[in-house]
Each structure stands twice: as C-alpha cells, then as structure tokens.
Amino acid sequence: MKRDLYWDSLKFILIFFVVCGHCIGSYLPTGGINRVLYNFIFTFHIPLFIFVSGMFSTINDRNKYKLGIIRLLETYIVFQLIKSFFSMLLSSGITVNSIVFSICVPRYTLWYLLSLIFWRLSVFFIPSDFLSKYPIKVIFTCFFISLLGGFIPIDKEFSIQRTLTFLPFFFMGYYARRIELKKYIAKVPSLVALTVLLSIFLIYFFILNKPIGFILKGKATYWSSVEFSPFLFCLARGAFLFTATIMGVMVMRLVPTKTSLSKWGRITLFIYIYHSFAIECLRLVIRYGYFPKNEWMLIVMSVIITMGLVLLSHIKFFKILLNPISYIMNSRNKSTT
C-alpha cells in the first residue's frame, strides 16, 4: 500500500496516546480524573492501532510478508530477553527453562508484537480466495471468536487472550483497505464525532469511574474477575468491542488530512518498543515520591517521552537493536556482493 500522510499522522497520534495512557497508568487511584482518562484512552487507542496494522498487512509479495513476520519475531525475542535478563538473575538464574518461560509470556507492552505475528500469520495461511469472497463472514466470525475467547483457560501465555480479543479490529482493518475509507469517514460531521467522544467521556466520568482495565485490555479470562460473572464479563467485552469501534471511527474523523506529524508515523514501532523502558523508570520515581502524582504532569511527561524517543530514533544503535540479526546478515550479504 502506498504511504498516505493521513495514516502516518493517525499512527503517530495513536502512539502518543499509547505513551500517554501508560504514563497515566503509572498512577491510578480507584477513581478520579486519572482513572477517567485511562479508561477513555484505553477504549480506543490499541483497537484503532490494530485496525491500522490490519490495513497495512496486505500480501503483495509472500516472501516479503513472511520476512516481515520473521523480523517482528526477532524484535520480540530480543526485547523479551532484555526485559527478562535482570529478573532471571534475581530469581532462578539464567537457565534454559527461564529463557523459554520468558519467551512464552510477553512482558508488559511486548504482547502486541506477538499478537501481531499471530494476526499476520492468519492472513498468510488462510486461503486468499476465502478471505476475498467472504469478508462479512470473516469479520463476524472474528467477533464471535473474540467473545468466546475469554472462556479459554489461558491468560498471558503467548498473548492468546489479547490476540483473540482484538482479532476483529485487525480484520476490519484488513478489509478496510479495499474501500475509500477516508471518503466515508469524512461524511461524519466533525461536531457529531466530538459529541460522541464527549458523551463517552462523560459516561466514564459519572458512571464508569472505576477500574475496568481487565475489560479494556482483554488479557484475562472471564473467570479472573471477582466483580463479574463469566457471562456478564462476556457481555462487557461485547460492549467494549462495540464502543471501541464507534470511538475509532470518531477519532479517525477528527484526524487532519495533512499534518506535519506524518513524518514521524514511520517510527511508531520504535516508539512503542522503547517507551516501555521510560514508563518503568517513571513508575519507580513516582513510587519513591520523586515525581508528583498529578494527571496533568503525567500528560506533560508523555509529551517529553514521545519527543525524546523521536530524537532517539536518529541514533543508529537503537534502530539496529530492533533487528540485530537481520542487520548482521544484510551487512554480510552486502560485503560479499
């Protein structure tokens, strides 16, 4: 798919909301504006980000597509081992079992890479004729799988729960590339989009101002909640899927067609991978009282982290670290030609 400034702008805006959501999540009281902002942001930013990932998961060249999946797996393994290194030293030590366990259970934000690998593999292995002929059936099946996924007794292992929960958004994005989506979104009046988003925000403020992250993150089974029965949890996931879809459309409507932010849309994976280190440091300084527990300061910090990572993306070492094996192999191939 040819690069489009609109989608690059949207990707950067979404990655900022990812950083912002995690910054706010560094201090979450039971209620209050922090909780409202957290719930509001987490309702749309990851689903919409997955939707965009689905749009750009087109198989024009099967070899390149397969190489892209391998590179994602490489990035996942490298940063899983980096994040697991110190915890392995402090617990059982670095053993074969600890390494295998660290790879099987994604740490913090790395679940997204593993889920993206599974989503792209599904597109790779499902017959293209079937995908092209039955888009409605595929999307409805994905929603059905998402709702039933919570009954599977697997939590964080291999990011199975999140892969199933967010599956509909990936395939909606996959099929959205076939239509002139921006043209249809533009038909929604901007005032309507603002009103819908504001209404949802007010619902969170006055009614759902409490911890519901277990619903919004989709990482737990239906039996993990003490507040909901499995059936009620399933209904809550259905409500989340519907709300996230509506919010995604409204957010897309408000993204400007042309903006200078698009130049940073190419480095969203870089920001996603490295921002978790900054968030973990932020949590430490908050815990020890070196940073104020204030939602507005946390939003300011999210801007600082995002722009700091934009600057960091110009340093070659950190880009190589995303795919060190691929870099070494490419360098060897160039030296032999």
Side-chain angles (χ1 to χ4, degrees):
M1 180 183 289
K2 185 179 179 181
R3 295 201 78 92
D4 188 312
L5 297 182
Y6 170 84
W7 297 112
D8 279 337
S9 298
L10 176 61
K11 285 169 63 180
F12 184 76
I13 290 170
L14 290 175
I15 201 62
F16 169 74
F17 276 117
V18 169
V19 177
C20 188
H22 287 144
C23 281
I24 294 172
S26 300
Y27 172 65
L28 277 179
T30 303
I33 191 65
N34 279 44
R35 177 63 64 179
V36 174
L37 289 171
Y38 184 84
N39 290 344
F40 182 79
I41 291 172
F42 269 80
T43 304
F44 76 87
H45 72 338
I46 287 299
L48 189 50
F49 207 90
I50 293 168
F51 175 88
V52 176
S53 297
M55 287 195 66
F56 290 89
S57 295
T58 308
I59 304 181
N60 295 321
D61 185 320
R62 293 186 70 85
N63 288 329
K64 287 184 177 179
Y65 191 87
K66 183 166 60 176
L67 180 61
I69 294 174
I70 293 172
R71 286 171 64 86
L72 279 174
L73 182 60
E74 179 187 355
T75 304
Y76 170 76
I77 293 175
V78 167
F79 281 88
Q80 272 287 102
L81 294 178
I82 290 174
K83 286 178 174 287
S84 303
F85 179 76
F86 291 106
S87 62
M88 285 191 291
L89 281 180
L90 295 174
S91 56
S92 60
I94 301 177
T95 64
V96 174
N97 288 337
S98 63
I99 292 174
V100 171
F101 178 80
S102 69
I103 292 175
C104 294
V105 182
R107 296 182 67 88
Y108 196 25
T109 58
L110 292 177
W111 69 267
Y112 180 77
L113 293 185
L114 194 54
S115 291
L116 185 57
I117 290 169
F118 288 137
W119 293 324
R120 289 188 171 176
L121 282 173
S122 64
V123 172
F124 188 82
F125 285 109
I126 295 176
S128 57
D129 290 343
F130 181 84
L131 286 176
S132 60
K133 289 180 180 179
Y134 307 106
I136 303 299
K137 289 183 179 180
V138 170
I139 291 175
F140 272 100
T141 301
C142 289
F143 274 99
F144 188 68
I145 290 173
S146 177
L147 292 175
L148 291 183
F151 292 106
I152 298 175
I154 301 176
D155 281 316
K156 298 179 181 179
E157 294 84 355
F158 296 104
S159 188
I160 295 297
Q161 281 298 325
R162 279 174 154 164
T163 301
L164 299 178
T165 299
F166 296 110
L167 182 65
F169 299 106
F170 182 84
F171 273 95
M172 283 193 290
Y174 175 79
Y175 285 114
R177 80 193 195 282
R178 298 182 175 186
I179 61 176
E180 296 183 48
L181 186 60
K182 288 191 295 181
K183 181 179 72 174
Y184 292 107
I185 291 174
K187 293 181 179 180
V188 179
S190 57
L191 184 59
V192 171
L194 283 170
T195 302
V196 171
L197 292 176
L198 179 60
S199 299
I200 295 172
F201 183 86
L202 292 175
I203 290 172
Y204 278 131
F205 189 86
F206 290 108
I207 302 174
L208 294 175
N209 192 347
K210 57 184 178 179
I212 55 172
F214 57 94
I215 297 173
L216 304 177
K217 294 180 180 180
K219 65 178 182 180
T221 66
Y222 292 151
W223 288 278
S224 63
S225 172
V226 296
E227 187 175 356
F228 296 109
S229 67
F231 179 72
L232 190 58
F233 198 160
C234 182
L235 291 179
R237 177 171 292 183
F240 160 67
L241 295 175
F242 175 78
T243 305
T245 302
I246 297 299
M247 286 186 71
V249 174
M250 300 302 117
V251 170
M252 284 192 287
R253 174 61 183 88
L254 297 178
V255 172
T257 306
K258 294 182 179 180
T259 172
S260 58
L261 298 178
S262 61
K263 62 184 176 183
W264 297 319
R266 298 169 180 260
I267 60 169
T268 51
L269 180 61
F270 182 96
I271 295 173
Y272 185 84
I273 294 297
Y274 284 106
H275 89 280
S276 61
F277 294 97
I279 298 299
E280 288 171 354
C281 292
L282 178 62
R283 289 179 175 178
L284 283 176
V285 297
I286 289 177
R287 181 185 305 169
Y288 291 105
Y290 297 116
F291 193 87
K293 297 176 180 179
N294 180 284
E295 63 274 3
W296 307 117
M297 286 300 297
L298 290 170
I299 292 174
V300 170
M301 181 55 67
S302 66
V303 175
I304 294 173
I305 290 174
T306 303
M307 298 315 298
L309 290 173
V310 168
L311 296 176
L312 196 69
S313 68
H314 296 291
I315 300 177
K316 189 174 182 180
F317 169 79
F318 293 103
K319 291 190 287 187
I320 292 175
L321 192 58
L322 292 176
N323 297 103
I325 298 175
S326 298
Y327 177 80
I328 294 172
M329 293 180 64
N330 290 336
S331 298
R332 287 182 177 178
N333 291 336
K334 288 180 181 179
S335 63
T336 56
T337 57

